[in-house]
Amino acid sequence: LSTGSSSEKKQSLFQRSSHSLHSLDIFLFSLIAGLLIYWFFFRKKTEPVPEIKPFTPVTPQIRETSFIEKMKKTNRNIVVFYGSQTGTAEEFANRLAKDAQRYGMKGVAADPEEYDLSELSRLKEIPNSMAVFCMATYGEGDPTDNAQEFYDWMQGTDDDLEGVNFAVFGLGNKTYEHFNATGKYTDKRLAELGGKRVFDLGLGDDDINLEEDFISWKEQFWPAVCELFGVEATGEDSSIRQFELVVHNDINMNQVYTGEMGRLKSFQTQKPPFDSKNPFLATVTGNRKLNKGGNRHLMHIELDITDSKIRYDSGDHVAVYPTNDAAVVNGIGERLGVDLDTVISLKNLDEESNKKHPFPCPTTYRTALTHYLDINNMPRTNVLYELAQYASDPQEQENMRKMASASPEGKALYQSWVLDSERNILAILEDLPSLNPPIDHLCELLPRLQARYYSIASSSKVYPTSIHICAVVIEYTTKTERVFKGVATNWLKNKEVTDNGHKLTVPMYVRRSQFRLPFKPSNPIIMIGPGTGIAPFMGFIRERAWQKEQGKEAGETILYFGCRHKNEDFLYQQELEEFERAGVLTQLNVAFSRDQEHKIYVQHLLKKNKEQLWKLIHSNNAHIYVCGDARNMARDVHTAFYEIAEEVGGLTHTQAVDYFKKLMTKGRYSQDVWS
């Protein structure tokens, strides 16, 4: 276009002045003009050599997803992959990668989601190499979100892993039926594909003492690795720092993180889609106490999700990001004599690492301790081990090191002094007066504060722009006479609807669940949810009421609820009784456990109605839902259903167990339980 327009300008200029020019001048002028035009416009287009630009992006892409190339480039021989939902497996993976240094090896922790795991067969290209997998099991025996692709690959691949050394440590909880299913499958499948198991599968049980299980496993794991590779421990038991401190004395505060999970200033300018790295700030529009008496505080919270484009279904979970108690944060600052408002960055000493900082940086110590670090839970043994060097009293130092060891007396001391006494990091600092760690090292060692998940207590059909939470506030006195306060529940309790005219918000996102109402509204449903386990059923019942309003035929809707006293903690009593009167709830069965001499629980009421229940389950295609405590209630409910199948259905115990397993497989027996 520019060539044409320039020619036209020159042409019109020539026409206007032709009468005063000689024909030779005209010829020369035209020749020169033509050459100039050619030089400037056409020659430029033919000059470049064929471009090779399309090929350049490939190289960085390979570097990003190839853990093999990365290991070669950074001279690593051990890679520790983690499948982590709450951060513990990631923490264990980092500890193992760090431990490698003590045995003269170089390790790296890696998120399987960020790499191409189909390259696993190439690991043998690296001498004395191995892959370790720290795999948590989540939900009903499922892999964690970040390990799903790796899990799918294992199921579908027939790659030959001969010559690939591996070991697996599983993180699970025995109160759940599918204990450590992901760890077990990973270990079994890698061996089936020809991989060499360097050490036995480790099975960590969070119901008892996951930390102790991990320590015991790795104490035997490393000698097996040393034997395989013919190496010995270097004897370097000194602390190895992973991050270096950078203090920002002169920084624009607009560049400093103030609690955001991902993008800087994401809380000021909210942009969908909202997820774990980009939570939505939902305004609190409701906060009321549900119980009428007793010494507990059970609450109903309502969050406004208008304009967020967040969608949810009954049975989904809402994740919220809480903040730590300011009193504990200030207590740490005072005990260590630190200005918490100092702006800092913790920078990874390994420049090749994908994890540049342990939490969003630059930020202040106050923000890190308030938003990013878990300061309320009992510290794991690796934290005590690393901090021991900062205790000036030899006895205190020895005890800290002992608690981090695999010796029986060390384990017993950690169990009694830290776990049973429920000492958080502030309590440890208070009770060990000679311990004075640099606060930046403490921040490096503490795990990340995790999102808390709650079963949504509303139906999106009735409340499309609102999400409801039902929770009990955790608060009690520990053995050391300190008051333990649950981080999230106390934080939510204090979220008043308006705080002096200021609307309070909660950073949140929705996590999808398999806990779903039947596709056909005509299917009967049996809901069992004592205490706050009633939460998802408030959504289910409201949705059933909505279905009836739409003229749909809703099947029998039966609820088994349990609480301590009818006059104290009968949650949502008024609403439930109204739903029963309206015929939405076909049956409302409530077990008041402490209103009589002998305790009555939901499983006792199930047995009382065994004929009706067996008919609904066996003949009418009823769906069963259980929500609440996994350790006792869910197991007792299981047992009650087995007994009903045996007593009314005439099945043997083995047949009864098999019968309900099949119902689970078909999605007709669903659980949303926690321990």
Side-chain angles (χ1 to χ4, degrees):
L1 196 70
S2 59
T3 308
S5 60
S6 300
S7 312
E8 282 159 20
K9 283 176 190 171
K10 295 246 170 56
Q11 202 177 13
S12 60
L13 177 71
F14 165 68
Q15 284 170 345
R16 285 200 305 271
S17 54
S18 60
H19 64 276
S20 60
L21 290 171
H22 189 270
S23 59
L24 182 64
D25 294 333
I26 292 166
F27 172 73
L28 288 169
F29 180 79
S30 301
L31 185 66
I32 292 161
L35 284 166
L36 284 168
I37 289 166
Y38 174 81
W39 178 265
F40 280 112
F41 297 103
F42 292 100
R43 188 173 178 279
K44 251 182 198 171
K45 289 181 184 175
T46 56
E47 190 179 26
V49 177
E51 288 189 345
I52 53 164
K53 267 185 187 170
F55 298 98
T56 48
V58 176
T59 314
Q61 206 172 1
I62 289 171
R63 278 187 194 142
E64 280 170 23
T65 62
S66 172
F67 69 91
I68 298 291
E69 295 307 320
K70 186 166 184 178
M71 286 175 75
K72 286 178 178 178
K73 188 181 167 191
T74 58
N75 198 26
R76 309 295 166 111
N77 61 334
I78 292 182
V79 58
V80 191
F81 290 106
Y82 55 85
S84 190
Q85 199 72 29
T86 62
T88 309
E90 181 181 358
E91 188 191 323
F92 284 2
N94 280 316
R95 284 163 68 176
L96 286 170
K98 207 170 173 183
D99 280 348
Q101 217 166 317
R102 298 194 170 104
Y103 298 91
M105 293 173 265
K106 288 190 82 177
V108 61
D111 183 341
E113 204 170 30
E114 292 178 4
Y115 295 100
D116 181 3
L117 266 291
S118 66
E119 286 200 318
L120 200 54
S121 58
R122 288 185 57 204
L123 190 61
K124 53 183 171 280
E125 294 172 16
I126 299 168
N128 282 3
S129 64
M130 77 174 296
V132 187
F133 296 85
C134 291
M135 306 299 286
T137 297
Y138 160 71
E140 296 296 298
D142 304 315
T144 58
D145 294 345
N146 77 313
Q148 186 65 56
E149 278 181 45
F150 169 54
Y151 193 85
D152 295 343
W153 172 78
M154 282 194 293
Q155 287 184 312
T157 190
D158 55 1
D159 283 9
D160 182 5
L161 298 185
E162 191 182 343
V164 173
N165 299 309
F166 78 89
V168 179
F169 182 81
L171 295 85
N173 188 310
K174 272 205 175 121
T175 56
Y176 296 93
E177 189 182 347
H178 307 279
F179 173 61
N180 256 316
T182 306
K184 288 174 182 174
Y185 178 77
T186 304
D187 182 70
K188 173 173 151 281
R189 187 68 184 132
L190 294 178
E192 284 172 355
L193 293 168
K196 181 181 177 181
R197 186 186 287 111
V198 171
F199 189 62
D200 296 339
L201 165 68
L203 295 175
D205 181 12
D206 199 29
D207 186 43
I208 300 170
N209 189 334
L210 185 61
E211 176 71 12
E212 187 178 308
D213 295 337
F214 178 62
I215 288 173
S216 301
W217 180 82
K218 77 185 183 86
E219 283 291 316
Q220 294 172 292
F221 162 74
W222 282 117
V225 175
C226 289
E227 191 181 331
L228 176 74
F229 296 146
V231 296
E232 287 180 23
T234 57
E236 277 183 43
D237 266 3
S238 59
S239 172
I240 301 158
R241 288 294 299 262
Q242 199 179 342
F243 298 90
E244 66 173 339
L245 172 67
V246 178
V247 178
H248 304 283
N249 292 316
D250 186 20
I251 190 169
N252 181 344
M253 291 310 281
N254 285 325
Q255 298 169 344
V256 177
Y257 281 87
T258 56
E260 304 94 326
M261 293 300 141
R263 180 174 57 86
L264 187 67
K265 302 294 172 198
S266 60
F267 287 164
Q268 276 99 317
T269 51
Q270 295 252 277
K271 293 175 191 170
F274 296 104
D275 55 27
S276 59
K277 292 188 173 70
N278 181 37
F280 176 68
L281 285 183
T283 303
V284 178
T285 53
N287 183 347
R288 62 187 168 96
K289 187 177 178 181
L290 289 170
N291 52 317
K292 298 184 279 287
N295 54 7
R296 297 186 303 160
H297 184 101
L298 294 118
M299 59 191 173
H300 174 88
I301 308 279
E302 297 183 10
L303 306 176
D304 185 3
I305 56 167
T306 307
D307 299 330
S308 68
K309 296 194 170 128
I310 289 173
R311 301 282 175 267
Y312 75 94
D313 289 306
S314 301
D316 282 342
H317 299 122
V318 57
V320 303
Y321 282 106
T323 59
N324 285 311
D325 185 347
V328 182
V329 173
N330 291 330
I332 292 170
E334 285 164 20
R335 168 64 179 76
L336 296 178
V338 174
D339 177 5
L340 292 177
D341 296 311
T342 306
V343 180
I344 56 113
S345 288
L346 287 180
K347 201 172 147 197
N348 203 320
L349 291 162
D350 174 9
E351 290 180 4
E352 295 297 325
S353 174
N354 283 9
K355 191 178 182 180
K356 302 300 177 197
H357 312 282
F359 43 79
C361 290
T363 190
T364 64
Y365 286 125
R366 186 182 305 283
T367 299
L369 293 169
T370 304
H371 294 273
Y372 300 138
L373 297 171
D374 185 346
I375 59 173
N376 207 44
N377 275 322
M378 292 77 78
R380 297 197 185 276
T381 58
N382 67 305
V383 177
L384 300 180
Y385 180 85
E386 298 268 356
L387 294 181
Q389 61 184 308
Y390 303 115
S392 56
D393 181 306
Q395 189 59 54
E396 288 184 1
Q397 190 175 114
E398 188 192 329
N399 284 341
M400 289 180 78
R401 290 226 162 96
K402 190 189 282 182
M403 285 190 280
S405 74
S407 70
E409 57 267 37
K411 287 177 179 177
L413 185 59
Y414 177 71
Q415 181 70 44
S416 63
W417 198 80
V418 177
L419 299 183
D420 296 345
S421 303
E422 296 182 79
R423 281 181 169 90
N424 62 18
I425 192 63
L426 177 57
I428 285 169
L429 289 167
E430 286 171 345
D431 293 346
L432 297 176
S434 84
L435 180 61
N436 286 295
I439 192 167
D440 60 291
H441 198 178
L442 182 65
C443 290
E444 174 181 323
L445 293 168
L446 291 173
R448 284 291 296 269
L449 182 61
Q450 299 295 324
R452 301 320 203 244
Y453 297 99
Y454 296 96
S455 303
I456 294 176
S458 51
S459 163
S460 59
K461 301 287 191 291
V462 185
Y463 300 102
T465 61
S466 182
I467 283 178
H468 301 177
I469 293 171
C470 170
V472 58
V473 176
I474 310 292
E475 188 171 329
Y476 56 88
T477 304
T478 68
K479 286 182 178 178
T480 65
E481 297 301 312
R482 292 178 170 95
V483 176
F484 177 90
K485 289 183 174 184
V487 173
T489 54
N490 280 278
W491 169 76
L492 283 170
K493 178 189 172 187
N494 294 322
K495 291 276 179 186
E496 297 299 334
V497 176
T498 52
D499 187 18
N500 295 328
H502 175 62
K503 287 183 177 178
L504 296 181
T505 57
V506 167
M508 54 72 69
Y509 65 95
V510 165
R511 184 175 72 183
R512 299 309 232 169
S513 152
Q514 299 301 312
F515 204 72
R516 289 274 178 275
L517 276 168
F519 182 70
K520 287 184 181 171
S522 56
N523 282 127
I525 59 171
I526 301 158
M527 302 169 286
I528 302 128
T532 56
I534 195 172
F537 304 136
M538 292 309 295
F540 280 14
I541 295 162
R542 287 187 175 114
E543 193 145 325
R544 279 269 159 125
W546 176 84
Q547 286 169 345
K548 286 190 97 164
E549 283 170 18
Q550 302 300 304
K552 292 177 183 173
E553 184 201 337
E556 285 191 63
T557 304
I558 297 167
L559 175 67
Y560 285 84
F561 172 67
C563 61
R564 294 176 182 179
H565 302 282
K566 183 175 183 177
N567 296 328
E568 277 186 13
D569 53 357
F570 187 170
L571 309 183
Y572 301 105
Q573 180 180 358
Q574 196 179 335
E575 292 104 307
L576 291 171
E577 288 173 350
E578 279 173 20
F579 280 128
E580 190 180 29
R581 277 194 295 274
V584 173
L585 258 182
T586 320
Q587 223 178 337
L588 172 61
N589 306 282
V590 188
F592 304 109
S593 63
R594 301 181 191 184
D595 273 353
Q596 59 286 311
E597 271 184 49
H598 61 287
K599 290 182 179 176
I600 296 175
Y601 296 115
V602 284
Q603 61 268 24
H604 300 129
L605 299 188
L606 291 171
K607 290 292 299 290
K608 203 173 160 187
N609 299 329
K610 58 187 179 181
E611 282 86 6
Q612 179 212 18
L613 287 168
W614 181 248
K615 187 185 174 191
L616 284 168
I617 296 162
H618 193 61
S619 307
N620 297 0
N621 209 29
H623 286 234
I624 302 164
Y625 301 91
V626 182
C627 182
D629 164 53
R631 188 176 284 111
N632 300 309
M633 182 278 296
R635 280 181 176 176
D636 293 340
V637 165
H638 256 333
T639 305
F641 277 121
Y642 295 155
E643 289 170 0
I644 289 168
E646 290 165 42
E647 292 166 21
V648 187
L651 305 185
T652 65
H653 181 69
T654 310
Q655 287 171 330
V657 171
D658 191 48
Y659 183 90
F660 283 100
K661 268 192 176 156
K662 280 180 182 159
L663 285 191
M664 284 182 175
T665 310
K666 290 176 185 169
R668 280 184 51 208
Y669 192 124
S670 304
Q671 296 186 98
D672 179 2
V673 293
W674 54 84
S675 66

